[in-house]
Amino acid sequence: MDAAVNDADADPESASGGPHDGPGPHEKQAPGRQAGAFRRFTAGLRRHWMRWTAVGVALVVLVGAGVGWTLYRKLEGNITTDVGTAEELERYDAERPATVSHEAKNILVLGSDTRAGGNRRYGQDSGTARSDTAILLHLSADRTNATAVSIPRDLMVTIPDCARPEGGRTKEQFAQFNWSFQFGGAACTIRTVEKLTDIRVDHHVVVDFKGFKRIVDSVGGVEVCLDEPVSDPDAQLELPAGRQTLKGEDALGYVRARHGIGNGSDTQRMARQQEFLASLFGKVRSNGVLMNPAKLYPVLDAATSSITADAGLNSLTELYELVRSVRDMPEENVRFMTVPRQPYAQNPNRDELVQPDADRLFAQLRNDKPVQGDEDDSASGASDGQEPGGGTSGAGEADGEGRAAPGDTVDDRPDGARYRAEHGAAGTAARTVTQSCG
């Protein structure tokens, strides 16, 4: 008995049926044991699968985050910040208009005709850039409406004394509006606009020829319709009549052209620019670009690569917030117009404001009030049925686009024959598809 106990104590596995007491090689496991083994096996597989799935998801997230960050940094780095303009404006901050509505935004959009770099193909570079396109964009505080007001290049205005890019300063003078950009770049133009309208410009954006083409191409072009074929060698434009989608060079030529299209007036060129931009905005909205990352990225890449902006719009976050704020704005609440103007009394090839219409418009924008009045009258300033303002330069033109440099002479025929020829009822303008080709 003692021996048996001692044997059991010495070899507990033998006494209790140790690990070697299981079934032999020709014996079957009990059903319960077989099921348990299977459960342990599958549980192990699930743990391994979940572990590798978690690793895979983590890798995808990390790669996605890395790609996203890389794209973000690329877009952010595309934007050129206009530091010099901010420094110049700061010197005159005390004399600038006060901000009336802090939530509303007034953005000055300038089209630069510089021939530097990739823009040399569009003409000789005289060493200074001009801006024949200037649009003051007002976004209402509640972001329910937007008003884009074109300022004619030939509008006679008071240009303040400005710092020249090459050094020195200009004197305050009464001259045509687009000279302000040539005299002192965006800073001089902003101060001229503020002096003219008494509206504080919150931000500014400058787009050159190459940038405009990239933005249009990023949305697949814009559809227009021409009543007649167009041939304008100065704008490098040859187009057939009819409905067509314009991209690249053709889109740029279309908004630049003056000769060989319509009646050749700057008035009609501004109208085409406004219509084209409205169609471009509509296409972005209708194609769901703002809500589709795959479509939005090319547009953002083109836009950020194409602009020079102030410090308030020089980051992707700031641009995104601005775009997001107008995402739900009804398209019918986006209005394009031109300041009320008429032929300048002393030179019919230049423009002057129509008062009190112009001041009324500026007050509505300044105080963030809806723009009132008939759209045709407020947009053109016409009062007698004659299309107003915006003549071309005559003798001494700097190039084939009718741009006169400061000091150039113009055709001052007192009978205004040139003005009537360019702005009379004769001539058929090119129109966007929203206006013809129904």
Side-chain angles (χ1 to χ4, degrees):
M1 180 66 179
D2 294 336
V5 172
N6 292 337
D7 288 342
D9 292 339
D11 190 2
E13 291 186 351
S14 298
S16 60
H20 301 293
D21 290 342
H26 300 292
E27 296 180 89
K28 293 183 179 180
Q29 291 185 359
R33 291 186 178 183
Q34 189 176 22
F38 180 76
R39 283 196 298 270
R40 287 192 296 272
F41 175 74
T42 55
L45 286 180
R46 283 197 299 270
R47 285 194 297 272
H48 284 294
W49 180 85
M50 292 176 65
R51 185 179 300 116
W52 283 109
T53 299
V55 171
V57 170
L59 287 175
V60 170
V61 170
L62 288 174
V63 171
V67 172
W69 178 248
T70 300
L71 294 179
Y72 179 89
R73 292 296 301 271
K74 179 183 183 300
L75 295 174
E76 186 101 339
N78 286 343
I79 307 171
T80 301
T81 304
D82 190 354
V83 178
T85 293
E87 293 174 348
E88 179 69 7
L89 292 177
E90 188 175 1
R91 297 181 55 185
Y92 297 92
D93 191 67
E95 67 182 44
R96 297 181 65 193
T99 299
V100 177
S101 173
H102 291 277
E103 296 301 322
K105 296 299 179 185
N106 297 298
I107 304 171
L108 185 62
V109 181
L110 301 171
S112 170
D113 65 357
T114 177
R115 267 57 170 182
N119 295 315
R120 293 185 185 278
R121 62 176 300 179
Y122 302 111
Q124 183 177 359
D125 188 357
S126 62
T128 57
R130 300 181 187 131
S131 177
D132 284 352
T133 300
I135 298 176
L136 182 61
L137 174 63
H138 175 80
L139 303 178
S140 64
D142 58 8
R143 299 300 190 268
T144 59
N145 63 82
T147 304
V149 181
S150 292
I151 302 175
R153 41 154 280 175
D154 292 328
L155 185 69
M156 299 302 293
V157 298
T158 298
I159 301 176
D161 64 301
C162 296
R164 292 184 178 275
E166 67 277 11
R169 302 192 67 85
T170 63
K171 296 181 179 180
E172 180 177 294
Q173 56 192 289
F174 189 67
Q176 66 186 70
F177 173 74
N178 71 333
W179 289 7
S180 62
F181 194 83
Q182 180 174 352
F183 285 157
C188 190
T189 304
I190 290 171
R191 292 178 59 213
T192 301
V193 170
E194 292 182 340
K195 193 175 187 68
L196 176 71
T197 65
D198 198 29
I199 296 173
R200 177 91 174 202
V201 175
D202 301 301
H203 302 290
H204 73 279
V205 175
V206 181
V207 184
D208 65 12
F209 291 154
K210 187 177 179 180
F212 176 81
K213 291 189 301 181
R214 287 198 61 187
I215 293 173
V216 173
D217 288 348
S218 71
V219 297
V222 173
E223 190 176 57
V224 302
C225 183
L226 299 175
D227 293 334
E228 299 174 352
V230 174
S231 178
D232 187 346
D234 293 329
Q236 303 180 18
L237 184 66
E238 297 287 338
L239 296 174
R243 186 192 303 265
Q244 54 207 288
T245 298
L246 301 185
K247 300 180 181 179
E249 296 293 341
D250 288 340
L252 176 62
Y254 179 75
V255 298
R256 291 180 62 224
R258 292 182 65 172
H259 310 295
I261 183 170
N263 59 23
S265 68
D266 193 53
T267 296
Q268 287 197 353
R269 178 166 68 170
M270 281 191 298
R272 283 197 309 276
Q273 291 172 351
Q274 293 171 355
E275 293 161 2
F276 194 92
L277 291 175
S279 297
L280 177 61
F281 176 80
K283 185 166 187 179
V284 170
R285 294 286 298 273
S286 63
N287 283 3
V289 172
L290 300 180
M291 301 298 294
N292 187 329
K295 292 183 177 180
L296 180 59
Y297 179 78
V299 177
L300 288 177
D301 187 36
T304 54
S305 301
S306 307
I307 65 174
T308 298
D310 64 273
L313 287 180
N314 71 339
S315 78
L316 195 60
T317 301
E318 291 161 337
L319 287 174
Y320 173 76
E321 289 300 324
L322 180 66
V323 171
R324 189 175 66 87
S325 71
V326 300
R327 184 175 59 194
D328 298 324
M329 183 182 295
E331 191 171 336
E332 61 271 17
N333 289 359
V334 180
R335 183 176 185 181
F336 289 82
M337 58 193 305
T338 304
V339 296
R341 84 274 186 221
Q342 62 189 6
Y344 179 44
Q346 298 184 33
N347 181 357
N349 297 310
R350 298 287 178 264
D351 293 332
E352 64 182 4
L353 294 178
V354 172
Q355 297 294 6
D357 297 358
D359 283 346
R360 183 183 305 115
L361 169 64
F362 298 151
Q364 290 166 349
L365 298 176
R366 182 169 55 251
N367 296 303
D368 195 29
K369 302 296 183 182
V371 175
Q372 303 294 330
D374 179 77
E375 183 170 353
D376 291 335
D377 289 344
S378 64
S380 67
S383 58
D384 57 1
Q386 182 186 34
E387 186 179 359
T392 64
S393 301
E397 289 179 350
D399 55 29
E401 301 173 53
R403 304 184 311 165
D408 286 349
T409 59
V410 295
D411 188 341
D412 288 331
R413 289 177 291 178
D415 60 358
R418 171 172 298 177
Y419 175 82
R420 287 195 296 272
E422 293 186 344
H423 300 277
T428 303
R431 294 170 289 186
T432 63
V433 71
T434 56
Q435 291 189 307
S436 66
C437 291

